[in-house]
Amino acid sequence: MTTSDLSASCKPFGVSKVISQSVYEEFYNQGDEERALGYTPLSMMDRSRSLNQPAEQIQFLSVVVIPCLVMVQNIFPNTNPLLDNCRKTQEAWREEIEIRGQKLWRQSESVPRPSRNHFQATD
């Protein structure tokens, strides 16, 4: 994946959202074909889970796009507007989730925590 592949996330939210919806339509078409072949598509390719788009976008921005843009900014400091716009887009997705009344994905809640019995041997 290149920075140019991620550039849609750095555009104003209205533009970014339209591009995102176009990408999802491509994903859903693939998921439809997989389902027709008897497979279960990935969640992001499952048309019946389209309400998850905002949360999936926040996760994508948090885990993939923003870390890449931070790295690019470290090399090319004049790219700071890309990172700023991406963070604004991320916030707009959060607002969309709140408007819909959905639960917001938080990266800190996704970190696996080992249970106390995790390292104990079983008999």
Side-chain angles (χ1 to χ4, degrees):
M1 189 172 291
T2 66
T3 304
S4 61
D5 292 332
L6 307 177
S7 66
S9 301
C10 304
K11 298 187 184 309
F13 180 64
V15 175
S16 181
K17 184 176 180 182
V18 169
I19 294 169
S20 166
Q21 289 170 331
S22 177
V23 170
Y24 270 102
E25 189 56 36
E26 185 178 327
F27 286 170
Y28 294 152
N29 289 338
Q30 179 177 333
D32 294 344
E33 289 182 27
E34 290 175 2
R35 191 173 302 284
L37 293 171
Y39 298 105
T40 301
L42 295 172
S43 176
M44 69 183 194
M45 295 183 176
D46 189 344
R47 192 177 298 278
S48 68
R49 296 175 183 244
S50 63
L51 289 176
N52 295 339
Q53 281 183 19
E56 289 172 351
Q57 284 301 296
I58 290 171
Q59 183 176 7
F60 177 66
L61 294 171
S62 297
V63 175
V64 177
V65 181
I66 289 175
C68 287
L69 291 173
V70 167
M71 187 170 49
V72 169
Q73 183 187 16
N74 288 335
I75 298 167
F76 303 106
N78 64 337
T79 61
N80 189 48
L82 296 174
L83 184 58
D84 291 343
N85 285 340
C86 183
R87 288 187 171 134
K88 288 176 186 173
T89 295
Q90 185 181 44
E91 186 57 35
W93 282 116
R94 283 189 179 102
E95 289 173 10
E96 183 141 331
I97 287 174
E98 289 175 16
I99 290 168
R100 294 180 180 195
Q102 295 174 309
K103 185 176 179 185
L104 182 64
W105 175 85
R106 298 196 187 283
Q107 186 174 6
S108 61
E109 294 174 2
S110 297
V111 177
R113 295 188 176 104
S115 65
R116 288 197 282 156
N117 296 330
H118 181 73
F119 296 105
Q120 292 178 347
T122 57
D123 294 272

